[in-house]
Amino acid sequence: MILKQQDNTAVVHLSGALTHTAFGRFNDVLDHMRATGAQSYVLDLAEVPFIDSSGIGMLLMSQEVAEQRECSLTLRCVEPAVWSILEQAHVTELFVLEDGRTSEAA
């Protein structure tokens, strides 16, 4: 996980498979979201080749934290294989892509 903050936006670059083994590292993302003054978050998934149900849960938890803080959460560079898994789980409508489109417009 690499975190960069510019102005009121925090960009988190994730790498590797987003599975149950990554939860410890991802928990750091959630802790930062709870502690920072950022008004928006971008999760860059360009280097995430695979996601399982645990990874989907992590993304949903980050969305929930953003909503609790009244912040926005945006997904960037979602690989087609990862997007396909999110579609199969019927959760794509819960996320906004970087360019502002919802998943239904993607």
Side-chain angles (χ1 to χ4, degrees):
M1 172 191 78
I2 299 171
L3 177 86
K4 296 180 182 178
Q5 188 160 344
Q6 295 178 319
D7 301 319
N8 290 321
T9 299
V11 179
V12 181
H13 297 273
L14 300 172
S15 61
L18 203 51
T19 65
H20 70 282
T21 59
F23 183 73
R25 290 181 297 137
F26 196 82
N27 205 30
D28 293 340
V29 172
L30 299 175
D31 289 343
H32 180 77
M33 288 177 71
R34 290 181 186 107
T36 188
Q39 294 177 350
S40 63
Y41 287 89
V42 175
L43 297 183
D44 188 322
L45 304 177
E47 295 180 26
V48 175
F50 177 76
I51 188 170
D52 67 4
S53 59
S54 296
I56 292 168
M58 290 179 236
L59 293 181
L60 293 172
M61 289 180 352
S62 62
Q63 180 67 32
E64 184 177 327
V65 169
E67 288 173 4
Q68 289 170 350
R69 293 203 57 251
E70 299 181 2
C71 298
S72 64
L73 177 75
T74 305
L75 302 182
R76 173 187 288 170
C77 299
V78 181
E79 292 293 317
V82 171
W83 191 255
S84 176
I85 293 168
L86 294 174
E87 284 180 319
Q88 291 172 20
H90 303 286
V91 297
T92 54
E93 67 276 359
L94 301 175
F95 300 105
V96 175
L97 301 179
E98 182 178 47
D99 64 4
R101 294 178 297 158
T102 62
S103 61
E104 293 178 25

